[in-house]
Amino acid sequence: MLRELPVIVLVALVIAVVLKTFLVQVFVIPSGSMEPTLQVGDRVLVDKFTPWFGSEPERGEVVVFKDPGGWLESDHKPSTDGTVVRHVKSVFSAVGVLPSDDERDLIKRVIGVGGDTVECCDAQGRLSVNGTPLEEPYVAPGNVPSRITFKVTVPQGRLWVMGDHRDLSADSRYHMGNPGAGTVPVANVVGRAFVVAWPLSHFGQLSVPDSLSSLPVRVAGSSAVGPIPAEPPLVMGVLGVLPVVVRRWRSHRRAGPVAD
């Protein structure tokens, strides 16, 4: 049995790396930028499988994406770990048991996709997409849709993303002066967060609001600028090994909204 242990460990590590890379991964929420939908410390399962088949993010989805440049603080504290500890942490990071020091991921809700014109705010203070005002039940209580006035057309192949806690989220609005005018390349999307897995008191599916999923598509144009606050990167947590992500993203969207 002891002779077989190294083989078992090796196989388990290989399976873990494959699952983390291609199927589902757990991320830990580090800030309140997505409250009340996601709380600090929540573990969310992120579907990394369906993008391999060409599925792209759609309005209303909560997505994890790589920093498109300048969204996160770049200063890193020097490691005080010894050589052995550093190597062990490196292995654990590779399989998803520990967060990596160079993870540069964020999590936001998709508000606009390529061709959409996103604008705020109308006479009633509402956010609109392609001229249609949005009902946003997911926005944190006490927050207005946006304290920054803007009108932006999302280029093809990019996304306009916003946090549900609008007053705390350093989202697309705050990076309109960056390359891409605050939009995020679809290619930077790691996957779609589809369920809060932990703690059990927050367990639940992250659904797509009807106000966003039913919007028509339109092509138009414009942009603006704003200040850039700091925001912590999303933390990659313990590996998610549930291959439940095999379900199609679009099944619930095409059939209608589900109950983020």
Side-chain angles (χ1 to χ4, degrees), residues 20-165:
K20 173 199 163 187
T21 304
F22 300 107
L23 295 180
V24 64
Q25 187 172 351
V26 174
F27 286 84
V28 184
I29 306 302
S31 76
S33 68
M34 280 296 293
E35 292 174 344
T37 305
L38 301 174
Q39 307 291 324
V40 176
D42 280 356
R43 271 65 171 171
V44 295
L45 296 185
V46 175
D47 171 13
K48 301 174 74 174
F49 182 71
T50 49
W52 290 92
F53 293 91
S55 291
E56 293 191 355
E58 296 189 6
R59 303 184 201 97
E61 292 182 337
V62 176
V63 297
V64 171
F65 58 94
K66 298 293 182 185
D67 182 359
W71 285 44
L72 296 170
E73 293 179 292
S74 56
D75 51 316
H76 290 283
K77 294 180 181 178
S79 174
T80 56
D81 296 328
T83 305
V84 175
V85 174
R86 213 164 37 243
H87 285 311
V88 171
K89 282 188 174 182
S90 178
V91 171
F92 284 176
S93 295
V95 299
V97 174
L98 286 178
S100 171
D101 288 336
D102 59 0
E103 287 291 332
R104 309 294 289 165
D105 300 327
L106 300 102
I107 187 165
K108 302 291 175 197
R109 188 182 297 278
V110 177
I111 301 297
V113 296
D116 285 343
T117 295
V118 186
E119 185 174 3
C120 199
C121 301
D122 66 9
Q124 286 74 46
R126 296 171 298 182
L127 181 72
S128 66
V129 177
N130 299 334
T132 303
L134 299 182
E135 294 297 329
E136 299 189 281
Y138 44 80
V139 172
N143 283 202
V144 295
S146 179
R147 299 189 190 279
I148 298 173
T149 301
F150 64 90
K151 182 178 181 181
V152 177
T153 292
V154 184
Q156 293 297 332
R158 303 183 76 93
L159 307 169
W160 180 267
V161 298
M162 298 175 72
D164 290 354
H165 200 324

